[in-house]
Amino acid sequence: IAVTALGCAELGLGDLAQILDTSGPLTESTVADGLREALRVGTERAASTLSQPGGFSDNPLLRLELPEELAPMASAMRTVGFGAQVDELETAMNRAAERAAGESIPVFASAITSMTLEDAMAILDGPPDAATRYFRKRTRGALEERFAPVVREAMGEGGLYASNRDLVARYDAIPFSKPVAPDLESTVSRKTLSGLFDMLGSEEARIREDPAARTSALLRRVFAESADRATTTGSTSGASR
């Protein structure tokens, strides 16, 4: 790849015809455009998957459950016949997470737009989760800020607040129970963010490892060239030892 003088100028969208032209040499611009496309595809897939009904609730690895401090309450309420209400509370939490996940796309898009050439090359040649690390660093604060009102609204509409108050009141009425005051809003936002980055990491791995996940000729070419460079670098390092 012809890479010279990595700068810190923001990457432009580029001319579509030039981006799609895979006959010429891979330059800084085409490599950056290919990586941007990969990141766009990966972030949109991750957000779309999680924002669908069941995106969190149907995934055993990401499903939101009541926070650990509420475990005694949940156990006690199931014992006295309020298991359905506990389930409804967890369902409302997952629905709120699914709605919040959909809000991540413009935040990721902004991070991709502001990516520098240096950022792009560091991600392309970096560790398997380099893009996910980049997004964690650049978007975490903005995502937390964007999630908060969405989670709050979704929890209200889903009856989560009312369900939580009812369960807590019933639990507090049980003799010798320990009072609880959970912050479910923060729990949902935090676990939504964690699930989103986990899913993004999976999408990044797919694009890096599986040629079938590279949805354009440019993507296939950029990552094939990156793999060739890594192999060449590894061979050279081995020969020098």
Side-chain angles (χ1 to χ4, degrees), residues 188-206:
V188 171
S189 292
R190 185 178 67 254
K191 291 190 175 183
T192 301
L193 197 60
S194 177
L196 183 62
F197 284 125
D198 284 348
M199 182 65 69
L200 185 57
S202 297
E203 289 297 335
E204 179 179 3
R206 282 185 61 198

Side-chain angles (χ1 to χ4, degrees), residues 111-192:
I112 293 170
T113 300
S114 63
M115 184 179 294
T116 67
L117 291 170
E118 187 176 8
D119 291 332
M121 298 308 299
I123 290 172
L124 187 65
D125 295 330
D129 63 343
T132 303
R133 292 185 186 186
Y134 171 84
F135 282 120
R136 281 183 186 275
K137 179 179 179 181
R138 299 298 178 89
T139 67
R140 189 178 189 92
L143 287 173
E144 289 175 342
E145 183 177 345
R146 196 174 183 102
F147 284 175
V150 177
V151 169
R152 191 178 306 117
E153 180 180 358
M155 287 166 60
E157 292 177 0
L160 190 151
Y161 291 126
S163 297
N164 183 50
R165 285 196 300 269
D166 181 58
L167 279 177
V168 170
R170 292 178 185 275
Y171 176 67
D172 287 344
I174 299 175
F176 308 113
S177 63
K178 183 179 179 180
V180 292
D183 183 358
L184 292 184
E185 198 172 296
S186 294
T187 296
V188 171
S189 292
R190 185 178 67 254
K191 291 190 175 183
T192 301

